[in-house]
Amino acid sequence: MPYTGIVKYHVKLSYEVDGLVERADIIGAVFGQTEGLLGPEMNLNELQRVSKVGRIEVEIKTTENTTSGTALLPMSTDIDTCALIAAAIESIDKVGPFDCKFHLDAIDDVRASKKEDIVRRAKEIKQKWSTKSVSEGDTMLKDVHEGFSGKITTYGSNKLPCSTGIFDSSWIILVEGRADILNLLRAGYDNALAIEGAKIDETIKDFCATKDKVVAFLDGDRAGGFILKELKSVVNIDIELRADPGLEVEELTPQRVADILKDATKDIKQQTTEPKKVSEADKQLAEATSKVYNDLNETLEAVGLDSNNEQLFKVPISELVDKLSTQTGIKYLILDGIITQRLLDGANQSGIEYIVGHRIANVSNSDGVILKTFTELGIT
């Protein structure tokens, strides 16, 4: 009958026999000389019958006139029973006509080993998932496939890949390649230029000189360090940023991209907005938003407010578009997430006037809904 128990422990023993014997002799001695020592319920035959002991594995090595080796018993009993069985086997002093000696080497907890394997595999899964997943799942992937390729163009005589926003933006993000630009577009940044290799194109230097701020955002590997050093010898870099160690910019999730760029973005927005006057409408929007921000932040939820700043609903972002299709009277929509095209389309259908979120993706806003970030309103 095959062994069907769940192995908890491996009892490992070594043995020496003063004579030449075979594997079957060792197994016979283990079963025969422990029988009756600990009572009928602890006979190895009985324990095997009830799937408490698995098949005993014996390794054998012979010399001219001795035999030695190891024996392994897989057991699904408690540790006390394991210890008793091990002690009983250690009491064996004969294999056939020959003197012998058994010694317990270890009792390994198989579950502990499995736990280590599970934790190690979980770390691998987490790493793989975190580098390949994107915020808001299928919606943003759809945006990438259908819309982001149209947001990439080229710059200069060498046709360096760039996002279309670099020409109008007051600041620029220098990355290593086209895939990095796509990933930044997913996170809502359309002002990236790819340097395409360690040899820096001279046109990059000229173009960066026209910008108020230059941010270098490079891979977290050794090559990224070399490229950064070369880039700094050609271009005046205001802010140096790197992907997480061992990762490339293209592998980061949109949320991680935003986290890394957060401080740089905040500084730049403060510089560009400080000389401007805040409109009365923005003051009212900031006031309404600040009242719900603390309870909303880091919840992945959204809140709808009416014209009197009364809360109409609070739902998970994953349910927001469906909620907008049935809700009326919303003036302010405030969410702990990214303002995407799909969300904006749903808001247009509901007559929403203002949307506030952490970031704004590349959207077409022909209906004039006012889009703001918490940073622009001075809330974060």
Side-chain angles (χ1 to χ4, degrees), residues 144 148-155 159-166 172-196 217 219 248-251 257 261 362:
V144 172
F148 286 168
S149 60
K151 300 290 185 179
I152 293 184
T153 183
T154 59
Y155 170 77
K159 298 189 180 300
L160 299 174
C162 65
S163 41
T164 55
I166 68 166
I172 188 172
I173 306 171
L174 299 179
V175 295
E176 294 185 32
R178 188 178 188 275
D180 300 335
I181 295 173
L182 272 173
N183 207 23
L184 264 65
L185 283 170
R186 294 176 190 138
Y189 297 93
D190 67 345
N191 57 333
L193 171 64
I195 60 179
E196 291 283 85
F217 188 10
D219 294 345
E248 299 177 4
V249 173
E250 67 182 85
E251 296 175 322
V257 168
L261 285 169
N362 291 276

Side-chain angles (χ1 to χ4, degrees), residues 1-8 47-55 74-77 114:
M1 176 179 289
Y3 177 63
T4 59
I6 299 174
V7 176
K8 296 180 181 178
L47 291 173
Q48 278 196 333
R49 187 185 70 80
V50 295
S51 297
K52 293 295 186 180
V53 174
R55 179 179 178 182
M75 302 187 67
S76 59
T77 64
K114 285 184 177 179

